[in-house]
Amino acid sequence: MNTSNTVSDLACSQISKCFGSVQAVDSVSFDIPPGSFFSILGPSGCGKTTLMRMIAGFESPDNGDIHIKGSSVLRIPPNRRNVKMVFQHLALFPMMNVYDNIAYGLRCNGSSRSDINKKVHEVLERIALPDVANREIHQLSGGQKQRIAIARCMVLDPDVLLLDEPLGALDLKLREAMKIELKLLQHQFNTTFVYITHDQSEALVMSDHVAVMNEGRFEQIGTPQNLYHHPKSAFVAGFVGDSNQWSGKVIERTSESITVACGAGFDAQSFATDMTSAGIGDHASVYVRPEHIQVELANTDPTVRVNTVNSIVGHIDSLLFNGANSRVLVRDQLGELIEADITLTGSHDDPKPGDAVTLSWAPARSLCF
Amino acid sequence: MSRPVAKDARNLALILLFMPFALWILLLIVLPHIGMFVLSLKEKVAPRVYEYGFDNYINFAQEPIYWNTLLRTGTVSLLVTFLALLIGFPVAYYIAKIAGKRTKGALFLLCLIPLWVSDLIRAFGWILLLRETGVISSALQASGIINTPIEMLYNDATVVMGLVYTVVLFMIVPLVSTLDGMNDEMIEAGYNLGGNGFTVLRRIIIPYAMPGIVAGCIVVFMLSAGSYLTPILLGGKNSSWFTEQIYDQFISRYNWESGAAFGFVLLLFTSIVVWLGLKLSGQTLSSTVAKS
Ligand SMILES: Nc1ncnc2c1ncn2[C@@H]1O[C@H](COP(=O)(O)OP(=O)(O)OP(=O)(O)O)[C@@H](O)[C@H]1O
Ligand SMILES: [Mg+2]
């Protein structure tokens, strides 16, 4: 009993896959604890679908091994693996009604008629669509189809459920609603979900753990907070969440801090971390999140208005009002735009486009790679 | 002022566009059929004296050789349809789902090539191969497998084979187009949810392809039951194909009234078979033939 708790639902070790000269997946390893929501986040074409198809058994890896509930599945054909998949376009069977769609898998594994009936109605109950059993697929809304596709897999009680960008085809509003719903469904079924997406907000909102993938490799695996606040690579810093990015040359390096002379005409100081190997004279990139930038209306005296360390002067180009998440776009002296979060109160002393401002941030809040 | 004019112009354009089509339907299909039907109700009681009645149809029903021929034509055509489906489905599946993008086009073209040659030439091709002094017989003799020439023409198997060969294309084309429209995800979902190859074929691929299958079967059955050249040339005089009877009535016996009645019997018969097929497969004409 004790051991079954520690065995992960899905573990991949060093799996790779090549298509001709394209290295679609490059020695990826990970380990997913039971009952968690795991996301794989990466830009288009980075190999997410390929990775998932290998787990489902539709492609075989060139190297490495895949373990489900502790045992290798490489020799097991797709229809015998207890991994179910929600496809990008859902792939509900249009010639069957909802009931038959859900019953299909149960019929394949030879359940009895009464058993099937009971299970189908149970799962429809759980996804809160008890009355759609006799509908045809084309009579369902986008969100309902989504839930049926999940129910069709969950009724088989899989060890792992794979979801390949299932929200991709939905409109924005429904996507927002489905994000929360998916998370709730995962909680309810208490099954491991592996969710693929290129949308970082989906991954951050829903997941217990996120793996950031780029060009076939996993850049970093961690909790959403961890990835957001402590990215381990420039790619993760740039891809997860919004960031302002500057690049330049390292001009000073101490044991605690690293200072970069940015091309934009100011110096940026960050606390040194293990990730930054750059020495003096090396090229480096600095990332600062919009919410870490303080915006102050500037002293109008032009002689005082110069860039200093971690401080930039500029003019407000435009305000992006979005309630509590409002932003300003500030144009610096070289004409580049910088994003920063501000609070707009609606009163007279709110900043306005054209105002001179000073942007600053703490060294601890900027990241250097 | 200008809107009604524009509308009239559009209507005129529409009428002009449809005119050839309407004329084609009217002149080549509707009018001849009405004429034929009227003709089929006439009977000669004395030279140049005609009466109207169903005697031509009654004649048909009373003569077993006629309706036996019709039934035989029907059964053989059903067999041809079935064989064409059996051969056409894997070919269509390969073209639509397994072949790569570039091979797909080439294979499809390859399937269409026989259509560029006339029916007659194709039938003669078979004759060249299969007759007593033909290619196959001589080759077998030369290689010493047989010592007397064999005649492979003029039997039912040859007729069926020839018919399948001529019609199988019309099975492949609608099947390829329906299978092409099937998302590969659907097949993978079939496996992913636990189905084996047979289940996926039976529960997913075939039901999905049903409109194409039925469309192909209707076209193939109609073509086969209505074909004339292939049964005559490959089956010889005693192939007993129903179109042969019709030809006989019109040309040899010069009995147009009876020939017209036979034509209508064939039309009615094939329509009933198609209707039964649609009923049994749960499809409608609009969901199958009209779709592909
Ligand atoms: N069957 C295949 N044959 C050849 N190359 C392939 C094949 N499948 C995928 N690739 C290549 O492998 C790489 C990864 O593809 P994959 O479909 O896994 O990307 P993805 O991360 O799912 O992208 P997206 O977010 O756009 O779906 C791509 O460069 C793609 O061109
Ligand atoms: Mg993909």
Side-chain angles (χ1 to χ4, degrees):
Chain A
M1 226 41 258
N2 226 346
T3 50
S4 76
N5 277 339
T6 54
V7 168
S8 54
D9 275 349
L10 174 65
C12 292
S13 53
Q14 301 288 322
I15 54 172
S16 304
K17 179 79 187 175
C18 265
F19 291 113
S21 62
V22 182
Q23 183 81 41
V25 174
D26 190 1
S27 30
V28 162
S29 306
F30 60 93
D31 208 321
I32 304 177
S36 60
F37 198 119
F38 186 88
S39 290
I40 297 171
L41 172 65
S44 189
C46 70
K48 307 181 296 287
T49 301
T50 309
L51 177 59
M52 186 152 285
R53 288 170 57 81
M54 286 194 282
I55 299 170
F58 297 121
E59 306 275 1
S60 55
D62 299 335
N63 277 313
D65 205 350
I66 300 168
H67 292 264
I68 292 169
K69 286 261 187 248
S71 48
S72 173
V73 292
L74 283 192
R75 295 184 185 289
I76 301 179
N79 57 342
R80 301 245 162 272
R81 296 190 187 186
N82 201 12
V83 183
K84 301 302 160 207
M85 183 156 173
V86 176
F87 288 82
Q88 193 156 7
H89 300 103
L90 305 181
L92 293 170
F93 307 131
M95 56 282 175
M96 304 180 194
N97 66 15
V98 170
Y99 182 93
D100 289 328
N101 260 282
I102 299 177
Y104 171 85
L106 293 167
R107 288 190 180 127
C108 286
N109 67 25
S111 304
S112 73
R113 194 173 271 270
S114 59
D115 217 24
I116 292 175
N117 196 15
K118 195 174 116 247
K119 283 191 178 166
V120 171
H121 284 106
E122 249 171 39
V123 81
L124 282 173
E125 227 34 89
R126 289 179 84 168
I127 57 162
L129 288 174
D131 307 318
V132 299
N134 293 316
R135 294 244 196 114
E136 294 300 322
I137 295 303
H138 64 86
Q139 296 170 322
L140 299 173
S141 74
Q144 287 171 334
K145 280 185 195 158
Q146 190 81 52
R147 281 185 277 174
I148 297 301
I150 293 172
R152 183 174 76 170
C153 296
M154 294 315 295
V155 77
L156 298 170
D157 201 15
D159 294 329
V160 177
L161 181 69
L162 307 174
L163 303 105
D164 187 358
E165 296 189 38
L167 304 187
L170 303 181
D171 61 68
L172 194 67
K173 203 157 178 182
L174 194 51
R175 275 168 94 130
E176 293 300 318
M178 283 309 295
K179 270 188 214 171
I180 299 162
E181 190 139 337
L182 266 177
K183 179 73 193 161
L184 291 176
L185 279 174
Q186 191 263 334
H187 251 298
Q188 209 184 29
F189 287 109
N190 198 24
T191 302
T192 301
F193 277 32
V194 178
Y195 185 89
I196 284 192
T197 181
H198 58 245
D199 178 343
Q200 44 108 0
S201 82
E202 276 175 20
L204 295 182
V205 168
M206 293 192 280
S207 326
D208 299 318
H209 294 276
V210 180
V212 180
M213 194 171 182
N214 185 29
E215 292 181 345
R217 294 178 161 279
F218 272 11
E219 296 264 339
Q220 188 176 355
I221 305 178
T223 61
Q225 288 94 327
N226 201 330
L227 288 180
Y228 190 85
H229 294 301
H230 309 289
K232 285 208 177 95
S233 69
F235 178 80
V236 177
F239 195 73
V240 178
D242 296 330
S243 274
N244 294 294
Q245 189 232 325
W246 296 279
S247 47
K249 281 206 161 52
V250 177
I251 50 168
E252 190 193 328
R253 174 148 195 168
T254 67
S255 57
E256 291 112 55
S257 74
I258 181 162
T259 309
V260 178
C262 293
F266 67 97
D267 294 346
Q269 190 181 46
S270 331
F271 283 166
T273 55
D274 319 336
M275 276 80 69
T276 43
S277 53
I280 288 177
D282 285 350
H283 190 85
S285 294
V286 177
Y287 292 85
V288 182
R289 297 210 184 275
E291 68 264 34
H292 294 145
I293 298 181
Q294 263 108 47
V295 182
E296 282 167 76
L297 283 175
N299 192 328
T300 42
D301 183 353
T303 54
V304 197
R305 289 175 43 69
V306 287
N307 294 330
T308 52
V309 171
N310 284 4
S311 158
I312 306 178
V313 297
H315 290 89
I316 296 184
D317 189 80
S318 47
L319 291 169
L320 310 174
F321 181 73
N322 182 19
N325 307 318
S326 300
R327 288 224 162 134
V328 275
L329 289 179
V330 174
R331 201 173 281 282
D332 69 12
Q333 284 157 333
L334 292 181
E336 281 180 48
L337 287 175
I338 302 159
E339 284 186 47
D341 282 5
I342 52 164
T343 318
L344 293 173
T345 55
S347 63
H348 273 301
D349 38 318
D350 272 355
K352 286 174 285 299
D355 285 356
V357 287
T358 307
L359 307 177
S360 59
W361 60 90
R365 291 299 180 202
S366 70
L367 294 157
C368 179
F369 295 97
Chain B
M1 242 356 255
S2 75
R3 294 199 86 191
V5 172
K7 205 177 157 200
D8 282 351
R10 224 177 19 242
N11 282 346
L12 188 66
L14 203 69
I15 290 170
L16 285 177
L17 270 173
F18 269 101
M19 201 54 110
F21 183 67
L23 281 178
W24 181 58
I25 293 269
L26 190 74
L27 294 181
L28 293 176
I29 297 179
V30 177
L31 281 183
H33 274 82
I34 293 174
M36 287 273 282
F37 188 64
V38 172
L39 194 63
S40 77
L41 294 177
K42 273 186 183 173
E43 65 186 296
K44 215 184 234 172
V45 284
R48 310 252 169 113
V49 186
Y50 294 95
E51 261 177 25
Y52 285 94
F54 285 98
D55 269 33
N56 289 317
Y57 293 93
I58 293 165
N59 265 348
F60 166 82
Q62 280 172 345
E63 188 64 72
I65 191 152
Y66 293 153
W67 46 264
N68 276 340
T69 314
L70 181 63
L71 282 183
R72 191 182 123 86
T73 305
T75 351
V76 174
S77 296
L78 280 179
L79 178 69
V80 167
T81 310
F82 178 72
L83 289 176
L85 178 62
L86 221 57
I87 296 168
F89 196 87
V91 174
Y93 188 81
Y94 185 86
I95 292 177
K97 287 275 153 266
I98 299 173
K101 271 250 147 47
R102 214 175 305 160
T103 19
K104 188 181 282 190
L107 283 173
F108 205 56
L109 207 66
L110 221 59
C111 277
L112 293 179
I113 282 178
L115 277 188
W116 296 344
V117 181
S118 98
D119 246 2
L120 193 63
I121 307 294
R122 276 182 282 165
F124 275 119
W126 281 114
I127 291 176
L128 279 181
L129 286 176
L130 298 175
R131 65 178 172 188
E132 226 171 338
T133 52
V135 176
I136 295 179
S137 181
S138 331
L140 286 177
Q141 267 178 288
S143 64
I145 294 171
I146 52 171
N147 23 25
T148 48
I150 47 165
E151 178 64 271
M152 279 173 273
L153 284 173
Y154 314 127
N155 60 54
D156 285 357
T158 310
V159 173
V160 168
M161 183 206 61
L163 279 172
V164 169
Y165 166 74
T166 14
V167 296
V168 73
L169 274 176
F170 297 90
M171 186 65 88
I172 292 176
V173 173
L175 280 177
V176 167
S177 70
T178 30
L179 286 173
D180 227 8
M182 180 175 196
N183 198 335
D184 287 350
E185 278 187 355
M186 203 110 73
I187 298 167
E188 287 183 350
Y191 284 108
N192 183 255
L193 293 166
N196 53 28
F198 177 70
T199 330
V200 171
L201 181 68
R202 191 175 66 90
R203 304 274 320 272
I204 294 164
I205 299 173
I206 290 181
Y208 188 93
M210 211 49 179
I213 293 176
V214 173
C217 286
I218 290 175
V219 172
V220 162
F221 178 77
M222 290 295 216
L223 280 176
S224 164
S227 68
Y228 177 76
L229 273 175
T230 315
I232 294 286
L233 291 176
L234 299 184
K237 256 293 162 215
N238 42 12
S239 66
S240 355
W241 209 250
F242 196 70
T243 47
E244 221 177 310
Q245 298 279 4
I246 299 177
Y247 179 87
D248 235 36
Q249 296 294 335
F250 272 103
I251 308 297
S252 312
R253 308 205 183 168
Y254 214 68
N255 188 349
W256 280 45
E257 296 75 21
S258 166
F262 280 23
F264 264 90
V265 168
L266 180 62
L267 183 66
L268 198 70
F269 176 74
T270 48
S271 304
I272 289 173
V273 173
V274 167
W275 178 80
L276 274 176
L278 285 171
K279 276 279 157 276
L280 287 178
S281 66
Q283 301 284 323
T284 61
L285 211 54
S286 59
S287 75
T288 55
V289 179
K291 207 168 159 188
S292 58

